[in-house]
């Protein structure tokens, strides 16, 4: 697929990730690739023959980025790289690995297929979240998995209203709300009782967190709408918005949170033979065929 300049991103100070990073570096050099290594892990690689640079610089120059680690590491890199439309492939050195699907013990064969163009590529939409105070934009950020409105303290209830575009949907007293993409539907949202959305769906799931009313249930909505959460001014404590459990944004009583599609998309590359339902079956321990 013409990948000449390849970015290498890893989990710092992780023995398994370092092992894979060094092996992949050697593989890429043998292919004659220009290798750009994220500066956070560049000092942990053996030898030379690569350039150390920031994640943003990798996004500006690379044709392909290889992220070595778990899904959390992949998410952190992908949020930045999505702005540069760089294809990303993940080598799993974590636990679940819904996004990082290359087996580290068989990475050469799988990367050979990808470099030969014998692979699958897909684009996943990501979210943009904005916090408004008295009608003024305070801050914004992006999320690939989910945006979560939650309390800074454990088991503290809050009050808020939810709108889809300008249509009022419900008010709620709960510990918060998870707004998840199809990519994030197998992450925190799933733990909260949300449905699994296949990646091709143009939808979001809204999952209440420990709602006071038992009739509150997850709802799936059109991803092209704007989800608005208006935090009640009656709340006595400050709240938080979390993006992919990485970025935390402060929210004050009375603030409005707007969530909609980001203009950028995450470009994922999968090895030949990738099948989303195989991933679900393997990761979630679902039953295999009867016959």
């Amino acid at each position: 697929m013409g990948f000449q300049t390849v970015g290498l991103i890893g989990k710092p100070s992780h023995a398994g990730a370092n092992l894979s990073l060094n092996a992949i570096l050697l593989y890429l050099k043998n292919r004659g690739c220009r290798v750009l290594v994220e500066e956070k892990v560049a000092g942990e690689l053996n030898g030379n023959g690569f350039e150390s640079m920031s994640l943003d610089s990798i996004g500006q120059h690379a044709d392909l980025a290889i992220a070595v680690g778990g899904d959390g590491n992949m998410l952190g890199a992908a949020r930045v790289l999505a702005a540069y439309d760089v294809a990303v492939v993940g080598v799993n050195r974590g636990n679940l690995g819904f996004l990082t699907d290359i087996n580290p013990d068989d990475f050469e064969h799988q990367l050979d297929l990808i470099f030969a163009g014998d692979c699958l590529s897909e684009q996943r939409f990501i979210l943009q979240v904005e916090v408004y105070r008295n009608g003024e934009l305070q801050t914004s950020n992006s999320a690939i998995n989910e945006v979560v409105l939650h309390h800074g303290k454990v088991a503290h209830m809050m009050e808020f209203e939810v709108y889809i575009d300008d249509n009022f949907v419900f008010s709620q007293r709960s510990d918060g709300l998870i707004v998840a993409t199809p990519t994030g539907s197998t992450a925190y949202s799933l733990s909260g009782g949300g449905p699994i959305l296949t990646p091709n769906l143009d939808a979001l799931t809204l999952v209440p967190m420990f709602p006071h009313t038992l009739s509150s249930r997850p709802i799936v909505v059109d991803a092209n709408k704007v989800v608005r959460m208006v935090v009640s001014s009656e709340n006595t404590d400050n709240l938080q918005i979390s993006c992919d459990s990485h970025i935390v944004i402060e929210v004050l009583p009375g603030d409005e949170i707007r969530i909609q599609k980001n203009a950028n998309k995450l470009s994922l590359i999968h090895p030949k033979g990738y099948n989303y339902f195989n991933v679900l079956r393997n990761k979630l321990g679902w039953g295999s065929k009867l016959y």
Side-chain angles (χ1 to χ4, degrees):
M1 296 183 72
F3 299 129
Q4 295 297 319
T5 303
V6 181
L8 205 48
I9 298 146
K11 188 173 183 178
S13 305
H14 184 281
N18 283 348
L19 198 66
S20 289
L21 283 167
N22 279 295
I24 294 169
L25 173 62
L26 185 61
Y27 168 89
L28 293 173
K29 290 200 303 190
N30 288 338
R31 287 197 73 99
C33 295
R34 179 189 176 197
V35 184
L36 316 176
V37 178
E38 187 188 7
E39 53 197 8
K40 290 180 183 177
V41 294
E44 301 175 22
L45 297 193
N46 300 326
N48 49 29
F50 61 86
E51 301 166 54
S52 172
M53 59 180 62
S54 69
L55 201 49
D56 279 288
S57 295
I58 289 175
Q60 291 167 13
H61 296 96
D63 308 313
L64 172 73
I66 301 174
V68 181
D71 279 358
N73 186 70
M74 174 83 154
L75 287 170
R79 259 195 315 274
V80 175
L81 295 174
Y84 300 99
D85 197 26
V86 177
V88 184
V89 64
V91 177
N92 186 21
R93 278 292 186 177
N95 294 315
L96 278 177
F98 280 97
L99 291 174
T100 48
D101 48 32
I102 285 188
N103 185 334
D105 298 325
D106 186 35
F107 79 86
E108 291 191 6
H109 171 65
Q110 293 173 84
L111 287 180
D112 281 344
L113 292 173
I114 287 171
F115 275 93
D118 207 359
C119 56
L120 298 172
S121 61
E122 62 170 335
Q123 288 201 317
R124 308 259 184 110
F125 75 82
I126 64 178
L127 297 177
Q128 180 80 6
V129 58
E130 299 173 334
V131 176
Y132 287 84
R133 189 165 302 144
N134 300 318
E136 296 284 328
L137 177 64
Q138 299 298 303
T139 186
S140 64
N141 223 300
S142 61
I144 290 170
N145 270 356
E146 73 278 304
V147 174
V148 184
L149 172 65
H150 61 96
H151 212 287
K153 301 173 185 176
V154 175
H156 270 243
M157 200 164 280
M158 69 178 77
E159 289 186 325
F160 57 93
E161 295 177 337
V162 175
Y163 297 80
I164 303 296
D165 285 346
D166 292 322
N167 297 308
F168 173 69
V169 182
F170 56 75
S171 62
Q172 192 170 95
R173 296 183 71 229
S174 68
D175 283 12
L177 186 74
I178 304 167
V179 180
T181 65
T183 302
S185 69
T186 51
Y188 191 42
S189 170
L190 186 64
S191 302
I196 294 173
L197 306 180
T198 55
N200 58 311
L201 289 178
D202 203 9
L204 296 172
T205 180
L206 278 55
V207 182
M209 299 168 63
F210 305 103
H212 186 65
T213 306
L214 294 179
S215 60
S216 294
R217 287 291 181 264
I219 181 172
V220 178
V221 302
D222 184 352
N224 297 296
K225 305 290 186 181
V226 178
V227 177
R228 294 195 297 123
M229 294 181 279
V230 180
V231 177
S232 171
S233 55
E234 300 298 315
N235 291 307
T236 55
D237 296 304
N238 294 351
L239 310 174
Q240 295 177 338
I241 284 284
S242 291
C243 301
D244 297 338
S245 302
H246 279 65
I247 297 154
V248 177
I249 301 169
E250 185 184 44
V251 175
L252 301 182
D255 283 359
E256 179 180 316
I257 301 109
R258 298 179 193 173
I259 301 166
Q260 57 193 313
K261 275 186 179 179
N262 191 299
N264 303 318
K265 291 193 175 184
L266 170 60
S267 297
L268 286 177
I269 298 284
H270 302 287
K272 183 184 178 183
Y274 168 85
N275 181 289
Y276 180 72
F277 295 106
N278 288 345
V279 175
L280 286 183
R281 200 162 50 249
N282 292 332
K283 302 303 180 186
L284 301 179
W286 288 356
S288 56
K289 281 189 175 182
L290 295 178
Y291 303 105

Coordinates of all heavy atoms in Angstrom, one line a residue, residues 131 133 231-232 237-239 250-256:
V131 N -17.5 22.2 26.2 CA -18.2 22.6 27.5 C -18.4 24.1 27.4 O -17.5 24.9 27.1 CB -17.3 22.3 28.7 CG1 -18.0 22.9 30.0 CG2 -17.1 20.8 28.8
R133 N -20.2 27.6 29.2 CA -20.5 28.2 30.5 C -21.1 29.6 30.2 O -20.4 30.5 29.6 CB -19.3 28.3 31.4 CG -19.6 28.8 32.9 CD -18.4 28.5 33.8 NE -18.1 27.1 33.7 CZ -16.8 26.6 33.7 NH1 -15.8 27.4 33.8 NH2 -16.6 25.3 33.6
V231 N -26.2 20.6 32.9 CA -26.0 20.2 34.3 C -26.8 21.2 35.2 O -26.8 22.4 35.0 CB -24.5 20.3 34.7 CG1 -24.3 20.0 36.1 CG2 -23.7 19.3 33.8
S232 N -27.6 20.6 36.1 CA -28.5 21.4 36.9 C -27.6 22.3 37.8 O -26.6 21.9 38.3 CB -29.3 20.5 37.8 OG -30.0 21.3 38.8
D237 N -21.6 20.3 43.9 CA -20.2 20.0 43.7 C -19.9 20.1 42.2 O -20.7 20.0 41.3 CB -19.8 18.6 44.1 CG -20.0 18.4 45.6 OD1 -19.4 19.2 46.4 OD2 -20.8 17.5 46.0
N238 N -18.6 20.3 41.9 CA -18.1 20.4 40.6 C -18.1 18.9 40.0 O -17.9 18.0 40.7 CB -16.7 21.0 40.5 CG -16.7 22.4 40.9 OD1 -17.8 23.0 41.0 ND2 -15.5 23.0 41.0
L239 N -18.3 18.8 38.7 CA -18.4 17.6 38.0 C -17.2 17.5 37.0 O -16.5 18.4 36.9 CB -19.7 17.4 37.3 CG -21.0 17.7 38.2 CD1 -22.2 17.6 37.4 CD2 -21.0 16.7 39.3
E250 N -13.1 19.9 33.7 CA -13.9 20.3 34.8 C -15.2 20.9 34.3 O -15.3 21.6 33.3 CB -13.2 21.4 35.6 CG -14.0 21.8 36.9 CD -13.3 22.9 37.7 OE1 -12.8 23.9 37.0 OE2 -13.2 22.8 38.9
V251 N -16.3 20.5 35.0 CA -17.7 21.0 34.7 C -18.3 21.6 35.9 O -18.2 21.0 37.0 CB -18.5 19.8 34.1 CG1 -20.0 20.3 33.9 CG2 -18.0 19.3 32.8
L252 N -18.8 22.8 35.8 CA -19.5 23.4 37.0 C -21.0 23.3 36.9 O -21.5 23.1 35.8 CB -19.1 24.9 37.0 CG -17.6 25.3 37.1 CD1 -17.4 26.8 37.2 CD2 -16.9 24.6 38.3
P253 N -21.7 23.4 38.0 CA -23.1 23.4 38.0 C -23.6 24.5 37.0 O -23.2 25.6 37.0 CB -23.5 23.7 39.4 CG -22.4 23.2 40.2 CD -21.1 23.4 39.4
G254 N -24.6 24.1 36.2 CA -25.2 25.1 35.2 C -24.5 25.0 33.8 O -25.0 25.6 32.9
D255 N -23.4 24.3 33.7 CA -22.7 24.2 32.4 C -23.5 23.3 31.4 O -24.3 22.5 31.8 CB -21.3 23.6 32.6 CG -20.3 24.5 33.1 OD1 -20.6 25.7 33.4 OD2 -19.1 24.1 33.4
E256 N -23.2 23.5 30.1 CA -23.8 22.7 29.1 C -22.7 22.0 28.3 O -21.7 22.6 28.0 CB -24.6 23.6 28.1 CG -25.2 22.8 26.9 CD -26.0 23.7 26.0 OE1 -26.7 24.6 26.4 OE2 -25.8 23.6 24.8

